[in-house]
Amino acid sequence: MHKKLQKYIESYDLLQNTNIYELKPNGGMIVLINLDKRCEVLIQDELFILDSFQAMLINAYEESITIQSNEKINLVAVRFKGAGASFFYEEFMDELMHHAKEPVYLQKDILNTFDNVEKELDAYFQNRFKPSKSQFGVMRIIELVEENSGDYDMEEVLRIANVPRKIFDKVFRWHVGLALKNYASIRKEILQ
C-alpha cells in the first residue's frame, strides 16, 4: 500500500476461493469490490446483492458481516481506519449516517482482476482523496486512540479537537460512523 494511504486505510484483504466469509468488526468502514459472480452480503439480518465487478461501501459497524455465494467468492475488502473512508467518499457520509445498516453501491469496475490489486487500488484511492473540511483533525484523534490501545482522555481529545463537546460528538460520529466511546472500545478489543 502506498505510504500516503496508510494513514487512512488499514488493509486490502483478498477474499478468494470460499463460499462464505465473515468480516469481523474493526470500527472502520469497508469497501467490498466483487471480482467474480454475484454474491450476497448479510448486514444485521438484511440481505444485499453485490453484482459482478460491483463495489459497495459499508458503514462503520460493531457486528460481523457475512458474505456468501453458491459459487466461490472472489472479493477485495478495503478496510479503513476510523474516519479514513470520509476522506475518499465524503459525498456518501450523510447517506451512510442516516441509513447505517444499508451499504452504498459504488461504481462498477474499480478493479477488473486480481492482477496488480495493490497498485490499482493505490491509484484509485489517490485519485479519490479529498482533504477533510472538518473543524478538527479527526485522524489525529483516531491515532491517539490507536497509540493508547483504545484508551483516551476526553479532556485531551477535546484539546486536540478545539471544539465544544457537543460539536465534537456530532462531527466525530459523522466521520467515523460511531461515537468515540464505541469506536475506542472496538479498537481496544481488537488491539488486545
Side-chain angles (χ1 to χ4, degrees):
M1 179 181 315
H2 192 279
K3 188 178 176 181
K4 290 180 182 178
L5 298 174
Q6 289 176 352
K7 181 177 181 179
Y8 309 97
I9 299 174
E10 193 169 287
S11 64
Y12 300 148
D13 299 334
L14 301 177
L15 316 177
Q16 295 180 286
N17 301 319
T18 183
N19 292 74
I20 191 164
Y21 190 86
E22 183 179 4
L23 288 168
K24 301 288 184 188
N26 72 337
M29 295 185 192
I30 293 179
V31 168
L32 285 178
I33 304 168
N34 189 2
L35 295 176
D36 210 339
K37 310 233 177 349
R38 72 185 269 178
C39 60
E40 298 172 342
V41 178
L42 189 62
I43 303 172
Q44 296 181 356
D45 297 326
E46 267 196 75
L47 190 66
F48 300 92
I49 302 299
L50 187 57
D51 285 328
S52 298
F53 303 103
Q54 181 73 57
M56 71 170 42
L57 176 63
I58 300 170
N59 193 357
Y61 56 89
E62 301 174 68
E63 297 180 26
S64 296
I65 293 174
T66 303
I67 304 163
Q68 58 193 23
S69 177
N70 293 333
E71 308 282 332
K72 296 291 183 193
I73 294 169
N74 290 299
L75 295 162
V76 175
V78 179
R79 289 181 175 266
F80 292 92
K81 294 179 180 179
S86 67
F87 292 85
F88 303 94
Y89 298 106
E90 185 175 15
E91 68 271 26
F92 300 120
M93 290 300 112
D94 283 334
E95 185 176 344
L96 284 168
M97 294 308 113
H98 290 95
H99 305 285
K101 296 179 184 178
E102 295 179 23
V104 171
Y105 288 92
L106 305 172
Q107 71 192 58
K108 284 194 171 201
D109 301 323
I110 291 173
L111 292 174
N112 294 310
T113 178
F114 275 108
D115 298 334
N116 298 316
V117 167
E118 190 169 318
K119 186 177 176 182
E120 285 185 49
L121 286 174
D122 281 354
Y124 170 76
F125 285 116
Q126 285 176 331
N127 287 332
R128 284 208 55 94
F129 181 80
K130 292 184 181 105
S132 176
K133 297 174 189 155
S134 82
Q135 293 99 321
F136 59 87
V138 69
M139 288 309 290
R140 175 63 193 116
I141 292 164
I142 297 295
E143 288 169 5
L144 175 74
V145 171
E146 297 288 320
E147 289 166 5
N148 294 309
S149 301
D151 291 326
Y152 65 94
D153 175 39
M154 196 62 205
E155 287 181 26
E156 184 178 1
V157 166
L158 292 174
R159 242 187 337 272
I160 292 168
N162 198 28
V163 294
R165 175 73 186 258
K166 189 174 181 178
I167 293 172
F168 169 79
D169 290 338
K170 183 177 180 179
V171 173
F172 189 87
R173 185 171 186 79
W174 186 85
H175 278 281
V176 179
L178 297 169
L180 176 60
K181 181 179 179 181
N182 293 358
Y183 175 76
S185 82
I186 290 169
R187 295 309 296 169
K188 186 176 205 168
E189 187 176 309
I190 289 169
L191 295 169
Q192 289 179 346

